[in-house]
Amino acid sequence: SSGINAEYGEICEKRSKKTILPEHVIDALKELGFGDYIPEVNDVLSNFKTEKSSRKRSNKKLDKLGISEEELLRQQQELFAQARQQHYETELAQHNAALAAAAAAASSMSVAPAVGTPVVTENGEGDDDDDDYDK
């Protein structure tokens, strides 16, 4: 075993490869005189490749849930819709609160004008408290 390891390691090094491929192992078997095993190794390799390609690529976490991908997508869309609705309601509540605060601030302001502010009467003439001056 250690002879095979050293041999395929040398083969990889000679070919400037860092990854050991099945072909490197087969070449090592040939060079060490174990050519009789090569058909069996090729069979195992072929079976491995067939099994690997026939395996469906699936997310194991999804498989464990027992829920179809379509159902998960539907649930996700429903959660997004709920989140959008909550966001809308929060924004609306904040907007209404700001309007209420503005209305409360406006109504709490004094209706009487401040001292020194000209008052316009119904006839359009201003009363500016200039009684001391003769017109």
Side-chain angles (χ1 to χ4, degrees):
S1 173
S2 65
I4 293 174
N5 290 342
E7 187 64 30
Y8 66 67
E10 283 180 34
I11 290 171
C12 287
E13 194 173 308
K14 286 178 191 173
R15 296 179 186 175
S16 300
K17 302 286 184 178
K18 292 185 179 184
T19 302
I20 299 170
L21 300 174
E23 296 77 30
H24 301 145
V25 175
I26 292 170
D27 289 345
L29 289 171
K30 284 180 194 173
E31 289 191 28
L32 292 172
F34 295 106
D36 294 345
Y37 292 101
I38 293 175
E40 188 176 339
V41 169
N42 282 328
D43 287 345
V44 170
L45 179 60
S46 176
N47 288 340
F48 171 76
K49 287 180 179 179
T50 302
E51 183 181 322
K52 184 178 176 185
S53 67
S54 69
R55 272 188 246 156
K56 72 173 190 176
R57 294 180 178 230
S58 65
N59 187 336
K60 292 182 181 186
K61 289 182 180 179
L62 276 178
D63 292 343
K64 288 180 184 178
L65 286 175
I67 300 174
S68 71
E69 194 170 339
E70 293 80 18
E71 175 61 17
L72 285 172
L73 182 60
R74 187 198 63 74
Q75 288 179 7
Q76 181 186 41
Q77 290 172 344
E78 184 178 318
L79 288 170
F80 284 154
Q82 289 173 359
R84 277 191 300 273
Q85 183 65 31
Q86 285 178 338
H87 178 74
Y88 169 75
E89 289 171 1
T90 301
E91 290 286 321
L92 184 61
Q94 289 174 350
H95 177 73
N96 288 340
L99 286 177
S107 69
S108 70
M109 291 184 174
S110 173
V111 204
V115 177
T117 305
V119 177
V120 178
T121 60
E122 287 182 22
N123 64 6
E125 296 179 10
D127 178 20
D128 57 2
D129 260 352
D130 288 338
D131 293 335
D132 340 342
Y133 300 101
D134 291 284
K135 292 186 184 180

